[in-house]
Each structure stands twice: as structure tokens, then as C-alpha cells.
Amino acid sequence: MTSYKINKVLIADDIEQECVDVLKQSLPAHDAVIVRSATKITAELVEAGGKGRLRLVGRAGTGVDNIDVPAASKNGVLVMNTPRELSIGALELSASLSRHVAQADASMKAGKWARKDYMGEEVYGRTLAVIGLGRIGREVAVRMQAFGMTVIGYDPVVSKEDAAAINIESLPLEQIWPRADYITVHVPLIPATENLIGDEVISKCKRGVRIINVARGGIVDEAALLTGLEDGRVGGAALDVFLEEPPKDRSLASHARVIATPHLGASTIDAQLRVASEVAENIVALNKGTLLGVL
Ligand code: NAD
Ligand code: MLT
């Protein structure tokens, strides 16, 4: 492996458009750039950087969909994320869906006492489908089992035996849809997962299924979800991520049976401290030649 010495680091995360010009000018003069998710490291940027000193893009977070990884590799720029950061926060967001906590709180703040409007259901005894049994999917499964849920799931790289070891029944997707009371997706947004949950899938689910997306916008087809919520096939949804962020179309975020948050999954003091140290430790490790986690 080429040896890298990172001395000068640009910490960049701001509104995309304002950032691009600054980055284009600054990247050739820096060895590394650190981003969260707002800054898009495009092919154009890594090319400009690669011609100068840029050797590393550090992503303080999990997904690298804001970085053109193939273009980075082509230009001799390493991309590192912080995979140890489990984003427990992402799963904690979904917990209030079944009891309408957000909506009930909003109604109290609006001066109401609407006990009849917010009859919830117990998650105890119900079936949760976890699509994607990676770092977060597994954590979700284990925690929701503690709430008394039966967990079924699917991940193309996780064997039935490995899933069974954490009490998850691994099933093909076609068998998952009719069994799930709740579906939560924890996959990357890649061509195979784009619109994974669309109109056809929603029609195969139990009427009133609840859908949770704290992974990436676009894994659940937003138009199909809205139709499903309106015709009753979907009983509720919790969304932390959107196809467009912030979403211009607010139909889902403002729907009465949707709990929506502005991509807050990793926005905890704890998670941000973890990613900040991890990205810094990675740069130190790179300088020492002991780096892990390069993409
Ligand atoms: P991970 O890489 O550990 O796990 C993803 C899993 O998805 C892998 O096991 C992979 O095999 C599986 N997978 C891939 N294609 C699949 C398919 N077609 N069907 C089923 N499974 C498939 O990732 P992670 O750390 O668990 O993160 C999961 C998602 O959550 C990512 O999209 C990440 O960007 C997102 N995330 C969001 C937030 C937030 O702020 N809301 C925070 C952290 C992570
Ligand atoms: C991630 O992929 O780490 C999360 O979506 C959080 C973030 O983008 O900062």
C-alpha cells in the first residue's frame, strides 16, 4: 500500500452549494477532508483534490453515499467511514410509533385532551421484520426481542444459522411480507434496495403494517407509502430519512400517521463523540501505517 502522511486536514460540512467552491479551491492544498453528510464529495471534487495533495476523505458517519468512492479510488484518494459507530440512536427513534407519542404530544401542546384519538397497540407479541441484518439491524432485533417481539429478517449475506444464533428467523422476502406487523429497513441505498418497499410489496403485507425507515431515503418508495397510508394498507410510518433532504414535498412528514424526524439517527452527543474520535484515530492510524476501515 502507498504510504500516506496526513498533515493538513479540512473539516468541511456545510450547505452543499456554498461548500463546493471553497472545497474545490481548498482540497488540492489539503491532505484530507472530513465530512458528515451535507457535503457531497463529487467526482469533480476528488479529481481536483487528487491533482493536488488530497489523499483521504474521512466520513464521520456510516453511509458513504455522499462520496463518489469509485472516482476517489481512480484519483488515488482513500475513503474511510466510521463503521464502529452503531447509531443506536437511529433505532431509538422508531420506538414511539406504536403509541402515537409524537402525535399525542402535539395534540396536548395544541390544548387538547384527545384520549380516544390515540389508541395504540402493544409491540409485545407482534412480529417485526428486519431487512438488513448488519450492524444496526442486529441491534434493533436484539432490543425489540426484549420488548417481546418475534423477529424475522432477511439479509443476502447472513446465513439462516447466523440469524438463528440471535433468535432471528431468516426468511426469503416473499415470506416476510405477509407475516410482518412492523417492517424496519437497515440496508444501504444501492440499486438492489432502491424502492425495495413499493406498492407491490405493500399489497403483500398485512393490512395496517407499520413501516420504519431510519436508513436512507429511497429504500421505501415515498409515493407508494403515501398511497398505502391513505388507503389503509399501511397503518403508520416512522421516517428519519427522505429521498430529498430536506423534503420539499411535505405530504409524508405532515401525515397524521407518520412520525417524522430530520435525519437525526446519529445526532446524539454520544454518537457524534464516537464518530469524531474514530475519524481522528483513523487519520493517526493512517500516518502510523496501521489503518483499518478503508473503503
Ligand atoms: P451495515 O453495512 O452494517 O448493514 C447493512 C446490511 O444490509 C448488510 O448486512 C448487507 O448485507 C445488507 N443488505 C445489503 N443489500 C441488501 C438487500 N438487498 N436486502 C437485505 N439486506 C441487504 O450498515 P449499518 O451500519 O447497519 O447501517 C444501515 C443503514 O443505516 C445504512 O443505510 C446507513 O447509511 C444508515 N444509517 C442511518 C443513520 C441515520 O442517521 N438515520 C445512522 C446510521 C446509519
Ligand atoms: C450515517 O450514515 O452515519 C447517518 O446517516 C448519519 C449522518 O449522515 O450523519
Side-chain angles (χ1 to χ4, degrees):
M1 181 173 136
T2 328
S3 84
Y4 291 97
K5 280 283 174 236
I6 303 298
N7 299 309
K8 212 168 170 206
V9 179
L10 177 66
I11 300 179
D13 220 318
D14 213 328
I15 309 301
E16 189 184 343
Q17 206 39 52
E18 280 89 336
C19 247
V20 172
D21 293 343
V22 178
L23 287 178
K24 243 172 125 175
Q25 279 179 7
S26 309
L27 288 190
H30 286 79
D31 303 304
V33 56
I34 296 175
V35 295
R36 269 197 74 189
S37 52
T39 304
K40 311 284 179 246
I41 301 292
T42 60
E44 194 193 359
L45 287 178
V46 280
E47 247 166 59
K51 283 186 190 135
R53 293 171 58 147
L54 187 68
R55 293 293 169 265
L56 174 81
V57 180
R59 161 75 164 100
T62 308
V64 286
D65 33 358
N66 55 326
I67 302 163
D68 191 325
V69 180
S73 314
K74 214 173 108 195
N75 287 281
V77 177
L78 297 178
V79 177
M80 295 179 330
N81 62 348
T82 53
R84 288 202 317 240
E85 194 281 293
L86 284 176
S87 294
I88 303 299
L91 68 97
E92 286 170 352
L93 275 175
S94 25
S96 52
L97 182 62
S98 58
R99 300 301 300 270
H100 314 294
V101 175
Q103 294 94 332
D105 175 66
S107 85
M108 284 290 282
K109 291 191 165 72
K112 297 184 192 157
W113 184 255
R115 295 186 73 205
K116 287 201 184 94
D117 293 348
Y118 300 112
M119 182 64 76
E121 67 171 31
E122 292 175 4
V123 293
Y124 179 84
R126 291 200 155 78
T127 298
L128 170 70
V130 180
I131 313 300
L133 299 170
R135 289 175 293 252
I136 297 176
R138 283 160 188 255
E139 297 290 336
V140 171
V142 168
R143 279 159 183 76
M144 296 323 288
Q145 284 161 1
F147 279 83
M149 294 193 94
T150 299
V151 181
I152 58 179
Y154 170 75
D155 190 308
V157 306
V158 177
S159 68
K160 258 191 173 318
E161 294 69 33
D162 283 350
I166 42 171
N167 291 321
I168 301 171
E169 186 184 357
S170 167
L171 292 168
L173 288 174
E174 288 306 306
Q175 290 179 33
I176 285 191
W177 310 132
R179 274 188 57 186
D181 298 301
Y182 290 75
I183 300 172
T184 184
V185 292
H186 299 283
V187 296
L189 178 64
I190 50 174
T193 61
E194 201 178 331
N195 293 332
L196 181 72
I197 306 215
D199 196 64
E200 213 183 306
V201 164
I202 289 173
S203 291
K204 291 177 184 162
C205 293
K206 282 188 189 173
R207 192 169 175 79
V209 65
R210 269 114 159 148
I211 296 174
I212 298 148
N213 185 6
V214 294
R216 277 294 177 270
I219 296 166
V220 178
D221 179 336
E222 294 184 349
L225 177 60
L226 188 61
T227 309
L229 283 159
E230 275 163 6
D231 65 24
R233 283 175 299 156
V234 178
L239 304 172
D240 184 47
V241 286
F242 297 85
L243 200 50
E244 187 183 19
E245 293 184 358
K248 277 199 201 84
D249 180 348
R250 295 280 163 157
S251 328
L252 273 175
S254 54
H255 194 283
R257 274 178 287 118
V258 172
I259 297 179
T261 44
H263 203 143
L264 291 182
S267 294
T268 61
I269 295 165
D270 316 86
Q272 288 312 308
L273 280 175
R274 284 196 298 267
V275 293
S277 341
E278 195 178 339
V279 90
E281 280 160 17
N282 279 345
I283 291 179
V284 173
L286 182 68
N287 279 350
K288 285 188 187 156
T290 55
L291 177 73
L292 298 171
V294 175
L295 295 169

